[in-house]
C-alpha cells in the first residue's frame, strides 16, 4: 500500500503514538484514525499542539498496518464522494417552479437580549460508590466548567473538563468509557486526590 501525498497526524500526549488526522475542522476536536484502525472523534487536548507531517515513504514506519488500511479506505470513499459531487454539478438544474410569495408578516417586537452565560463553575454532579466518570455528563461541558463526583466514604472530587481531558487520558481512551459511556476506578488513583474537596 503506497501513498503519494504526505499524511497529517497528531501525537497522543500519553502514549506518544501517532493518530492520522482525517478532519481538523471540528471545534476543539479531531477526527482521527487510531493505531487500531478505528475512526474516532477525540478532544484536541489529548494531543500535542504541533501537528506531524509524515512523508509517504515513512508511512509504514510511523503508522500501523490497520491505520494505513483504514486511511486508504477513507481516501477511496473521499475520492468516490468527490466524483459523485462533480457529476451532480454537471447535471442540468430542474426548471424552477414559480411560487407566489406570502404577504410580509408584521415584525414581532424584539425581546431584550439576555447576556451570554458564563461558561465556568460547577455544571454537573453525581454520586457513586467508587470514582466513576460518565461520558454523557462530561462531554457537553465547556472546558472551564467543572463536574463534582461524590464518592461514598471518600468525599467530593471536583474537576474541570479541561483538567479531566489533560490528566485522565486513561479514562477517555478506555473501551468502557468510549463504548459504554462510563469508567470506574477500582481504587482512587493518586492523581485524583488533588481534586478532592477538603
Amino acid at each position: 500500500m503506497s501513498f503519494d501525498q504526505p499524511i497529517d497526524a497528531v501525537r497522543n500526549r500519553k502514549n506518544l503514538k501517532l493518530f492520522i488526522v482525517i478532519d481538523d475542522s471540528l471545534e476543539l476536536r479531531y477526527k482521527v484514525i487510531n493505531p487500531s484502525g478505528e475512526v474516532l472523534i477525540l478532544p484536541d487536548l489529548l494531543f500535542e499542539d504541533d501537528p506531524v507531517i509524515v512523508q509517504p515513504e515513512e508511512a509504514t514506519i510511523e503508522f500501523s498496518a490497520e491505520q494505513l488500511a483504514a486511511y486508504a479506505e477513507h481516501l477511496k470513499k473521499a475520492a468516490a464522494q468527490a466524483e459523485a459531487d462533480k457529476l451532480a454539478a454537471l447535471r442540468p438544474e430542474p426548471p424552477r417552479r414559480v411560487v407566489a410569495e406570502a404577504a410580509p408578516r408584521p415584525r414581532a417586537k424584539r425581546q431584550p437580549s439576555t447576556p451570554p452565560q458564563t461558561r465556568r463553575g460547577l455544571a454537573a454532579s453525581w454520586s457513586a460508590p467508587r470514582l466513576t466518570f460518565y461520558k454523557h455528563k462530561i462531554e457537553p461541558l465547556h472546558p472551564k466548567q467543572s463536574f463534582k463526583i461524590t464518592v461514598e466514604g471518600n468525599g467530593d472530587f471536583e474537576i474541570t473538563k479541561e483538567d479531566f481531558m489533560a490528566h485522565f487520558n486513561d479514562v477517555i481512551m478506555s473501551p468502557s468509557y468510549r463504548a459504554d459511556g462510563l469508567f470506574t476506578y477500582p481504587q482512587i488513583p493518586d492523581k485524583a486526590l488533588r481534586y478532592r474537596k477538603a
Side-chain angles (χ1 to χ4, degrees):
M1 184 180 340
S2 63
F3 297 93
D4 52 5
Q5 295 288 324
I7 301 172
D8 292 333
V10 282
R11 194 175 296 284
N12 183 285
R13 289 179 193 271
K14 185 92 169 179
N15 60 21
L16 300 180
K17 291 196 172 154
L18 286 178
F19 286 48
I20 297 176
V21 176
I22 53 178
D23 188 354
D24 62 358
S25 65
L26 308 170
E27 192 180 337
L28 302 173
R29 291 176 301 169
Y30 287 122
K31 188 171 187 182
V32 293
I33 301 171
N34 73 2
S36 314
E38 298 171 289
V39 175
L40 305 168
I41 294 177
L42 296 173
D44 59 7
L45 286 169
L46 296 179
F47 303 101
E48 292 178 358
D49 295 336
D50 297 328
V52 178
I53 307 237
V54 176
Q55 295 306 321
E57 62 273 12
E58 295 167 0
T60 52
I61 302 163
E62 296 290 349
F63 302 116
S64 70
E66 293 87 351
Q67 253 176 320
L68 292 174
Y71 184 57
E73 187 60 30
H74 162 74
L75 291 177
K76 207 160 72 179
K77 281 184 186 161
Q81 185 60 52
E83 191 59 33
D85 292 348
K86 205 158 74 177
L87 290 173
L90 295 174
R91 263 189 233 122
E93 269 190 57
R96 290 196 177 160
R97 286 192 303 175
V98 179
V99 180
E101 277 188 42
R105 293 216 309 253
R107 290 174 90 175
K109 248 208 226 149
R110 277 188 61 193
Q111 295 292 320
S113 64
T114 53
Q117 290 181 316
T118 54
R119 307 277 226 123
R120 290 176 179 276
L122 186 63
S125 62
W126 59 91
S127 41
R130 285 185 283 186
L131 188 60
T132 303
F133 295 91
Y134 291 104
K135 186 176 182 178
H136 72 281
K137 291 180 182 277
I138 299 169
E139 286 270 302
L141 304 182
H142 190 269
K144 300 287 185 203
Q145 288 179 314
S146 60
F147 55 89
K148 182 173 78 178
I149 310 166
T150 302
V151 181
E152 290 156 27
N154 278 295
D156 295 340
F157 293 80
E158 192 172 326
I159 308 170
T160 65
K161 181 179 178 183
E162 195 171 37
D163 283 341
F164 171 69
M165 297 298 204
H167 303 294
F168 291 87
N169 197 1
D170 56 325
V171 174
I172 297 161
M173 299 303 282
S174 71
S176 66
Y177 185 80
R178 286 188 355 226
D180 307 330
L182 75 129
F183 179 92
T184 301
Y185 280 107
Q187 254 96 39
I188 290 172
D190 290 343
K191 65 182 172 185
L193 297 175
R194 69 169 129 162
Y195 300 107
R196 182 156 56 186
K197 303 300 251 182

